[in-house]
Amino acid sequence: PRQIVGALANEGGLQRGDFGKIDIRAGYSVVELPATLPQEVWDALRSTRISGVLINLEREGRGH
């Protein structure tokens, strides 16, 4: 969770309070973020890498 929060916070300018539950699964993780995040934050988060791997960010209901 620390790497996820750190990467998303750095790329999107998010604060600790912006994060809800983090559910780490075998092939992906689910991170609760505010539904009201501006589009420019989502755009910035799309280029986020965690441990050198580009993440595939999707809003709820559009992926797993």
Side-chain angles (χ1 to χ4, degrees):
R2 183 180 302 158
Q3 288 180 321
I4 293 171
V5 170
L8 295 178
N10 287 338
E11 293 295 326
L14 301 173
Q15 302 297 315
R16 174 167 276 179
D18 291 326
F19 294 88
K21 181 180 174 187
I22 299 175
D23 184 9
I24 298 177
R25 303 185 182 184
Y28 64 97
S29 297
V30 177
V31 180
E32 288 182 355
L33 296 172
T36 57
L37 285 179
Q39 186 60 46
E40 55 270 10
V41 173
W42 282 103
D43 292 343
L45 291 176
R46 290 192 196 289
S47 63
T48 301
R49 293 180 180 270
I50 298 176
S51 298
V53 178
L54 184 64
I55 65 170
N56 180 19
L57 184 69
E58 298 177 4
R59 291 181 190 252
E60 181 179 47
R62 295 186 186 175
H64 296 278

